Amino acid sequence: MVQIKEFRIVMPVSVDEYRIAQTYMVMKMQQQDTTGNEGVEILENKSFEDDVFGKGQYTSKLYRLQSKVPTWLSAIVPADALLLQEGAWDAYPRCKTVIKCPYYPKFLLTIETIHMADNGNSENVHGLSKELLKARKVETIDIASTARDYWSNFVGPSNINLSEFRSSRTARGPLSEGWQDRCDPVMTAYKLVTIDVPFLGFKSRLEHAVLSGERALFLESHKNCFAWIDEWFGMTMEQIQELERQNGSSLNKEIIRSSSKAVEEDLDATDSSDSSDLSEESNVKRA
């Protein structure tokens, strides 16, 4: 059975500001997570137009996640299964992301997002049928929450307490209890997550793990969105798109550099082993 859950993330920014904030946050977190031979590789970044979304930007990425999964999961799946491929259609304020695992072709994770200028009280922004509404579970995420769970450790939790944080450039914050009903501007990212894990044996456990991981990622990334407001506030879409292009090139260079280094180290190890073998063979002949 397919799992459906809607996460609602209320933000103390306008819908237009959020577009800048999210793009900046994604770039910065990708830079932080791309180290060694792990991280994000951007395969495509191009404009698109279709009958469903209209005009927007399409990106294709590869995620290498070896160190971002718990030990129990890495113990039961092969290393190739920790390589994920993402396709994202950004026609803001509507977006869709599809994540697949080439090793398990039937695995499918879909995230459909609609951004609204409200405080999270709209009930069916995705236009779900009665049957899907019955199956859907809803959770509102409070970015000011200081609670941490098992999955926060893998996402990389923010150290900023938003209940004490105040922006020096906008004077927004701190986010005290009930801030969602008082702040202006305000908007909500409605994220409908659908997951299909057609694997007998550990289907339920893996679905729970993926949903919990997505929740932790939504919480920490949106905390960063607001915590970094003094860095992105005032930027234009043209400026953020140029940074995005530069960031994509930088990430790919890091992946290529790390991969080349790994290949060189393997070759050096092989050469060393061959030299040792030749030396031993020579000693045998002399003997």
Side-chain angles (χ1 to χ4, degrees), residues 3-286:
Q3 295 285 334
I4 302 174
K5 187 164 186 177
E6 182 180 292
F7 293 95
R8 301 176 182 180
I9 308 104
V10 184
M11 296 292 293
V13 299
S14 70
V15 172
D16 290 337
E17 288 173 339
Y18 179 83
R19 189 179 187 185
I20 303 290
Q22 183 193 39
T23 306
Y24 182 86
M25 172 271 294
V26 169
M27 287 190 299
K28 188 166 180 176
M29 290 186 69
Q30 285 178 345
Q31 289 174 346
Q32 293 174 346
D33 291 340
T34 302
T35 57
N37 61 351
E38 289 193 9
V40 184
E41 180 180 355
I42 300 175
L43 304 178
E44 287 186 274
N45 188 353
K46 62 183 182 181
S47 59
F48 77 89
E49 182 175 359
D50 64 24
D51 295 336
V52 177
F53 285 92
K55 295 181 179 180
Q57 197 72 13
Y58 170 78
T59 56
S60 176
K61 302 174 184 177
L62 284 178
Y63 290 88
R64 295 172 174 83
L65 305 175
Q66 286 82 350
S67 66
K68 294 293 183 179
V69 298
T71 304
W72 69 262
L73 181 56
S74 61
I76 63 177
V77 299
D80 290 346
L82 301 179
L83 176 68
L84 299 180
Q85 186 168 2
E86 174 193 280
W89 293 261
D90 183 357
Y92 197 82
R94 183 181 180 186
C95 307
K96 181 177 181 178
T97 300
V98 176
I99 298 175
K100 298 180 179 180
C101 176
Y103 192 86
Y104 294 118
K106 293 184 178 181
F107 172 90
L108 184 64
L109 174 66
T110 302
I111 304 169
E112 298 173 84
T113 307
I114 294 178
H115 305 89
M116 302 278 290
D118 63 20
N119 62 352
N121 292 322
S122 297
E123 287 307 315
N124 190 16
V125 299
H126 295 279
L128 300 180
S129 66
K130 290 182 179 180
E131 290 75 18
L132 290 178
L133 283 174
K134 289 180 181 179
R136 178 197 65 172
K137 297 179 181 179
V138 176
E139 179 179 352
T140 300
I141 294 177
D142 182 2
I143 64 169
S145 171
T146 57
R148 292 180 58 185
D149 62 19
Y150 173 79
W151 290 95
S152 300
N153 297 321
F154 296 97
V155 173
S158 170
N159 293 321
I160 295 180
N161 185 347
L162 295 184
S163 65
E164 300 175 352
F165 170 80
R166 186 176 181 84
S167 164
S168 61
R169 296 187 63 186
T170 67
R172 298 180 199 176
L175 303 182
S176 55
E177 185 176 354
W179 65 268
Q180 300 93 332
D181 298 323
R182 298 189 302 270
C183 71
D184 183 28
V186 67
M187 58 82 59
T188 302
Y190 291 84
K191 293 185 174 291
L192 186 69
V193 179
T194 305
I195 178 171
D196 187 8
V197 182
F199 310 134
L200 296 176
F202 60 101
K203 172 182 172 64
S204 177
R205 189 176 186 184
L206 187 54
E207 286 177 343
H208 176 74
V210 172
L211 285 173
S212 297
E214 287 298 317
R215 182 195 180 281
L217 178 60
F218 293 154
L219 174 59
E220 299 303 330
S221 61
H222 284 79
K223 278 186 176 183
N224 288 335
C225 260
F226 185 55
W228 294 335
I229 187 171
D230 291 337
E231 299 178 30
W232 58 258
F233 185 78
M235 296 182 68
T236 65
M237 272 309 300
E238 290 74 18
Q239 290 173 323
I240 204 73
Q241 286 170 347
E242 176 57 29
L243 281 179
E244 193 175 27
R245 284 189 288 270
Q246 295 175 7
N247 181 64
S249 176
S250 175
L251 290 175
N252 288 351
K253 286 180 180 178
E254 172 64 21
I255 291 291
I256 292 171
R257 183 192 66 79
S258 299
S259 298
S260 298
K261 183 178 179 181
V263 170
E264 290 175 359
E265 289 175 349
D266 288 343
L267 289 174
D268 288 343
T270 301
D271 290 343
S272 175
S273 176
D274 290 345
S275 297
S276 176
D277 291 342
L278 288 173
S279 176
E280 291 178 2
E281 181 180 350
S282 178
N283 289 336
V284 169
K285 287 181 179 179
R286 283 197 296 270

